Amino acid sequence: MKIVPANEANVAEAGARVRRGELVSLPTETVYGLGADAFNGEAVAKIFEAKARPRFNPLIVHVSDDRQAFVIAEAGERARKLADAFWPGPFTMVLPRNEASGLSELVTAGLDSVAVRVPDHPVAQAILLAAKRPIAAPSANKSGRISPTRAEHVASDLGDELATIIDGGPAAHGLESTIVSLASNPAVLLRPGAVTREQIESVLGESLSMPDATAISNADTAPIAPGQLASHYAPNATVRLEATDVRPGEALLSFGATTPATSGPTINLSPSANLREAAAKLFESLRELDRANVDQIAVMPIPRTSLGLAINDRLKRAAAPR
Ligand code: TXA
Ligand code: MG
């Protein structure tokens, strides 16, 4: 059995694993999370690999207190009020992302905003302190499965992907955190949870707007509808997929050791054809090629296996007519 008690040694080991870029199970008061160093793109890529998610959705970044939250995200008056009222707790805020903080682009799936939460669970807090860095964590279940509320659930779903699972006891709420976006005005309730709409409205002194019916709460149980996350990063340049050559005026996003000749701007997602490395670099590479002001980005074929499915899904969206 890989389930281990939440003692000092196991917590210290979990912190060390996070710093080494490995996955850890993070017991929280809502559901168990599958955590990785939010600053390390390849570690974050392992989350999508382990969950077998066919697409990249932005993840919640867990921090130990509001001071750390407002290093990775921008604080405003409303965010401070809500942080005072509901952190630590089952409450997540989507805020403008602080570009200088070093957060992996994969954590936010290329968005300019980031979802942050301060969990109210002694074991989650202890692991965050031991890791000494923010931990990105969606629920610790395979894509399409039910969120885990006990260490045993994590073991049965993701036992193969984790060295050990720290038993933090049954999750008190058993339901994912409430998510409010302050990245736009007015504030939007993106996902209902234990902190209620009424509580939030009373602290804010304004009413929350609701996302439209196609916008979903939990990307694990409902697919991201077209048009959801409208601010999702799309390059200004058009994108040509499955490219085996580079045309005049194009930038090249390549993959693998053998790449077509070009004198234009080019980035290789992974010279060794490693999908984890490619996933970690995808969003920042699209941005960087876009900054070169080319009309079109030619993208070499990327295998449709494992993380390649999510990479191809994102590229297809980037290439869709706008
Ligand atoms: O209770 C919870 O929040 C659990 C535990 C482990 O803390 N975590 C969790 O994380 O549910 P996750 O990554 O599965 O939930 C992320 C949700 C998704 O629906 C995603 O679309 C949304 O938050 N989200 C994340 N970042 C966002 C952003 N920048 N803008 C809009 N939505 C965002
Ligand atoms: Mg989930």
Side-chain angles (χ1 to χ4, degrees):
M1 198 44 143
K2 312 171 133 188
I3 297 176
V4 299
N7 60 29
E8 218 173 297
N10 291 332
V11 164
E13 177 59 27
R17 280 187 210 286
V18 172
R19 287 200 301 280
R20 287 200 299 267
E22 295 173 24
L23 297 180
V24 298
S25 160
L26 189 75
T28 87
E29 78 280 29
T30 58
V31 298
Y32 276 70
L34 180 64
D37 180 354
F39 291 146
N40 179 339
E42 289 192 40
V44 174
K46 289 180 187 172
I47 294 177
F48 292 99
E49 208 177 340
K51 283 180 69 86
R53 273 195 65 90
R55 59 177 72 82
F56 297 125
N57 63 316
L59 305 176
I60 294 176
V61 178
H62 299 71
V63 293
S64 53
D65 56 25
D66 51 0
R67 194 195 48 81
Q68 208 184 2
F70 298 137
V71 171
I72 58 173
E74 277 168 35
E77 198 194 326
R78 294 184 302 167
R80 289 199 187 278
K81 271 195 208 167
L82 293 176
D84 286 345
F86 303 121
W87 279 346
F91 181 73
T92 298
M93 276 191 273
V94 174
L95 297 168
R97 159 193 166 120
N98 179 356
E99 286 312 321
S101 74
L103 214 58
S104 137
E105 286 256 13
L106 189 56
V107 167
T108 54
L111 294 170
D112 295 323
S113 56
V114 58
V116 248
R117 170 161 117 78
V118 179
D120 184 18
H121 190 292
V123 180
Q125 282 288 342
I127 294 175
L128 282 165
L129 288 180
K132 298 190 189 74
R133 62 199 63 196
I135 297 180
S139 52
N141 53 281
K142 291 275 186 194
S143 186
R145 308 281 289 273
I146 293 166
S147 297
T149 54
R150 290 177 180 272
E152 293 78 27
H153 301 167
V154 182
S156 71
D157 229 19
L158 293 168
D160 293 344
E161 338 281 340
L162 293 163
T164 57
I165 296 154
I166 297 187
D167 194 347
H173 296 289
L175 185 71
E176 281 91 348
S177 60
T178 303
I179 305 180
V180 168
S181 174
L182 296 182
S184 55
N185 222 335
V188 185
L189 180 66
L190 290 178
R191 181 168 78 183
V195 172
T196 66
R197 176 180 191 167
E198 290 72 23
Q199 287 176 296
I200 298 162
E201 289 179 338
S202 112
V203 169
L204 276 183
E206 61 173 279
S207 43
L208 292 177
S209 81
M210 302 287 280
D212 60 63
T214 55
I216 43 82
S217 48
N218 186 340
D220 260 5
T221 49
I224 291 182
Q228 201 221 349
L229 302 176
S231 56
H232 217 134
Y233 179 72
N236 289 316
T238 55
V239 173
R240 181 169 69 89
L241 300 178
E242 312 292 338
T244 51
D245 61 350
V246 185
R247 299 174 187 164
E250 281 184 335
L252 173 66
L253 188 61
S254 60
F255 179 81
T258 317
T259 66
T262 175
S263 56
T266 174
I267 295 179
N268 196 323
L269 285 174
S270 173
S272 62
N274 178 319
L275 289 169
R276 228 177 243 169
E277 182 187 6
K281 281 173 70 176
L282 179 64
F283 292 101
E284 64 191 44
S285 301
L286 284 171
R287 270 182 206 269
E288 200 174 319
L289 289 180
D290 222 15
R291 276 196 296 267
N293 270 323
V294 290
D295 293 334
Q296 184 154 283
I297 300 171
V299 185
M300 282 180 69
I302 293 172
R304 288 180 159 72
T305 54
S306 173
L307 281 172
L309 291 176
I311 294 172
N312 276 291
D313 170 77
R314 181 85 278 275
L315 288 170
K316 207 175 79 196
R317 288 160 196 270
R322 299 188 284 274

